[in-house]
Amino acid sequence: MAPSTSLAFARRLGHLVPAVRAAAAVSACLIAGQFAGQTGLGLAMAVGARRVVLSDPGGAPASRVANMALAAATGSLAAFAGTLAGHSLALATLGMFALGWVAGVARSRSEAGGRLAMSPAILFALAQILPGDVQSAAVRALAVGVGGTVAVVLVVWAYPHGWPSLAVYRLRTGLHFLWDAVFSSEGDVRFGFVLAATVSVCLLVVRALELPRGYWVVVSVLVVLRPEAAVTRQRGFERVAGTLLGSALGVGLVFLAPSLLVTDVLLFLLVVGFFRLLPVAYGWSLTFFTPALVLGISLLEPGNWHWAANRAVDVAAGTLAALGAGFLMSARLTRRPRTSVV
């Protein structure tokens, strides 16, 4: 093998390492739950790990750990609150509006801040799928937190000095920014209200129609809607196309995976593909993530391929809602995200 070819191959492997680490964190959580006979909790830990990985801003290790630790803590609190609020439409809607507003304001300021603020909003929505009492809420919150901690350890592989103080500083700065935003009339604040209103209306519709897994509609709005109309359209198209392809693949894998071991291996490979493609090809990344999600759920309900169809429909509905909100929202009322990181 020529030196130039070897160097190119080494670079490709280097680009794959972060995705392998992230997938290892998600798979480790799931497998730990399986060994403990608590596959549901394993899935909750895996969700927490994935959300924390997605909050990774990159850069210096201290900055990465600070953001990921904040994501783990706020995600646990959101899972706890969402589990309890799922019993009350009023509390669920109020909480969704507040977290949607925070996510919208943060996203308008920076992409890294938006990813960090998006995790608790998404976990709050997902936790409402299976509402419970205080004990079940605490168990779910602990699972999400443990999954997030596993993600930090396996993804960063470093324990830099100063990250706790940096996390506290960023939390204080973020809260101060949000407090000022309450009294501001700038475009990023208005976009926060647009996102909050859209997810709240979608939540009300989902609850009114009694859709069992309709919270993916809310999640799709959170993921797709952007301050810029062009970005919203692109993101929406990629999400629908990737989800539809992934759903079709997921249906096939549910019936083709012959054993639990094969399912776990397929899940790991699919999650590696998701994390590797996410920074460069969002739509194709969902083609890998959607069948991983369907396979994960099939561990609880073997042979149930209907989750794939439900996800495809819910994602399409949520994307249409986001596109509609983006169309109604004048792009001149919002600003492009700044590059500063909260």
Side-chain angles (χ1 to χ4, degrees):
M1 186 180 291
S4 59
T5 304
S6 300
L7 182 60
F9 181 71
R11 287 176 177 173
R12 292 192 184 97
L13 286 180
H15 292 158
L16 193 61
V17 169
V20 172
R21 289 182 179 178
V26 175
S27 293
C29 292
L30 180 58
I31 292 173
Q34 291 172 350
F35 273 109
Q38 298 287 337
T39 303
L41 287 181
L43 286 171
M45 288 191 294
V47 170
R50 176 178 175 266
R51 293 311 316 173
V52 167
V53 171
L54 292 178
S55 70
D56 182 2
S63 176
R64 298 176 64 192
V65 174
N67 265 39
M68 295 172 78
L70 285 174
T74 57
S76 295
L77 291 174
F80 181 86
T83 303
L84 296 178
H87 295 292
S88 169
L89 178 59
L91 289 177
T93 305
L94 181 62
M96 200 71 256
F97 185 91
L99 291 174
W101 180 81
V102 171
V105 172
R107 172 171 285 167
S108 291
R109 182 174 187 181
S110 72
E111 185 62 28
R115 290 198 302 269
L116 179 59
M118 200 61 56
S119 288
I122 289 176
L123 288 169
F124 180 82
L126 292 178
Q128 296 175 48
I129 296 177
L130 293 173
D133 56 14
V134 174
Q135 182 178 356
S136 60
V139 170
R140 187 173 296 169
L142 179 62
V144 170
V146 169
T149 303
V150 170
V152 175
V153 172
L154 293 184
V155 171
V156 180
W157 279 26
Y159 307 95
H161 296 291
W163 72 262
S165 59
L166 181 58
V168 171
Y169 170 76
R170 288 184 174 176
L171 179 61
R172 292 175 57 187
T173 302
L175 292 175
H176 181 72
F177 169 72
L178 291 173
W179 176 256
D180 290 342
V182 173
F183 307 99
S184 173
S185 60
E186 294 184 355
D188 51 7
V189 178
R190 289 194 288 271
F191 174 72
F193 282 115
V194 170
L195 181 58
T198 306
V199 294
S200 299
V201 169
C202 287
L203 179 62
L204 288 172
V205 172
V206 165
R207 295 288 289 266
L209 297 178
E210 297 183 352
L211 300 178
R213 288 168 286 273
Y215 295 96
W216 279 329
V217 176
V218 178
V219 172
S220 292
V221 173
L222 289 167
V223 172
V224 171
L225 189 56
R226 292 292 197 277
E228 305 84 5
V231 179
T232 298
R233 289 194 296 270
Q234 179 182 356
R235 191 84 168 181
F237 172 78
E238 292 176 346
R239 184 168 179 81
V240 171
T243 300
L244 290 177
L245 288 174
S247 296
L249 178 60
V251 171
L253 292 179
V254 165
F255 293 105
L256 292 177
S259 65
L260 178 61
L261 176 61
V262 173
T263 299
D264 286 338
V265 171
L266 286 174
L267 277 168
F268 174 75
L269 295 176
L270 289 168
V271 177
V272 169
F274 164 71
F275 281 115
R276 177 64 187 93
L277 291 173
L278 183 62
V280 294
Y282 175 66
W284 285 110
S285 73
L286 292 179
T287 305
F288 283 80
F289 174 69
T290 301
L293 177 64
V294 174
L295 278 177
I297 296 173
S298 73
L299 295 174
L300 294 175
E301 302 177 15
N304 187 353
W305 58 270
H306 296 91
W307 281 88
N310 290 334
R311 177 172 171 81
V313 172
D314 292 341
V315 165
T319 301
L320 286 175
L323 292 175
F327 176 78
L328 295 175
M329 179 183 62
S330 173
R332 291 175 302 214
L333 294 179
T334 57
R335 299 173 297 169
R336 295 185 63 83
R338 295 191 289 269
T339 56
S340 59
V341 177
V342 176

